[in-house]
Amino acid sequence: MKKIVKIIGITLSVIVVTGVILSLVAPKKISVTNTQFVKASKQAVFDQLRFMKNFPNWSPFIKQDPEQQYTISGTDGAVGASYSWVGVKEKSKGTQKIVSISGLDKIVIGCSITEPFQSNPTFVYTLTEKNEGVELVQQFDTDMPIPTNVIGLLMGLKAEITATNKQGLALLKKAVEK
């Protein structure tokens, strides 16, 4: 019996020490940059991004959860406009809001996710005219405090975010080019 208690104690100690080490070395921020070339005018790409009414055209989350419910508030296309959603299949909830717009060159969208977890990512979209189209760069950043950073590391969250964001940009390209 004492041997079993000792083994359990050692195992628990190893788990705790491993968890502490992982929480110290796991990234406390996730940054993902994706680029998509869109064969369209800069205005067309810009309008697809800035008007919240267009988000369902290219949202990878609506693709995953077509019954998702959403509302748009504020002056659509202007700073302060927001898109709030409640997922049906994926049980998610949150709001994204236009934080800033710089001409036709840059849009910053802040996001507040409240379910199934809490997160406040930022999306920065930069548009550059190139070769009869637009190079669209999406920069995604979110903080990953302890212990979320360990969970994110173990679940491969950065790879999942990268894939989802790439899917969204591909859907945006398709929506604008059609």
Side-chain angles (χ1 to χ4, degrees):
M1 181 72 163
K2 286 184 181 183
K3 188 173 184 177
I4 292 174
V5 171
K6 186 176 180 179
I7 291 171
I8 291 172
I10 291 171
T11 303
L12 288 175
S13 296
V14 167
I15 291 170
V16 168
V17 169
T18 302
V20 169
I21 291 170
L22 279 175
S23 70
L24 295 173
V25 299
K28 305 213 180 21
K29 181 176 185 170
I30 291 180
S31 292
V32 173
T33 303
N34 288 305
T35 302
Q36 180 71 60
F37 182 78
V38 183
K39 206 166 192 174
S41 71
K42 194 173 189 182
Q43 186 71 56
V45 177
F46 179 77
D47 287 345
Q48 193 67 222
L49 286 167
R50 79 176 174 128
F51 288 111
M52 294 294 177
K53 69 180 181 184
N54 293 332
F55 186 60
N57 297 338
W58 57 276
S59 168
F61 305 105
I62 287 184
K63 193 88 165 159
Q64 296 165 7
D65 186 2
E67 295 178 31
Q68 183 184 88
Q69 303 297 307
Y70 64 88
T71 56
I72 297 168
S73 7
T75 303
D76 197 11
V79 171
S82 65
Y83 175 100
S84 298
W85 75 90
V86 177
V88 175
K89 180 181 172 187
E90 64 177 21
K91 306 292 184 217
S92 64
K93 186 176 182 181
T95 299
Q96 60 183 27
K97 182 184 284 191
I98 298 175
V99 175
S100 70
I101 297 175
S102 301
L104 296 177
D105 300 318
K106 186 177 181 182
I107 298 175
V108 179
I109 297 176
C111 198
S112 173
I113 300 168
T114 56
E115 291 178 22
F117 52 84
Q118 301 245 334
S119 182
N120 295 296
T122 301
F123 293 86
V124 178
Y125 295 94
T126 307
L127 296 84
T128 307
E129 288 180 304
K130 286 190 175 180
N131 305 325
E132 299 179 31
V134 176
E135 179 183 75
L136 176 61
V137 177
Q138 177 196 63
Q139 177 64 44
F140 169 93
D141 292 297
T142 193
D143 291 328
M144 297 290 292
I146 296 170
T148 309
N149 65 332
V150 174
I151 295 166
L153 179 68
L154 296 175
M155 292 180 63
L157 191 57
K158 184 172 182 173
E160 184 179 327
I161 289 169
T162 300
T164 300
N165 289 355
K166 282 182 179 180
Q167 179 188 18
L169 289 176
L171 290 169
L172 184 142
K173 173 184 175 72
K174 185 177 177 181
V176 175
E177 289 181 351
K178 70 176 181 178

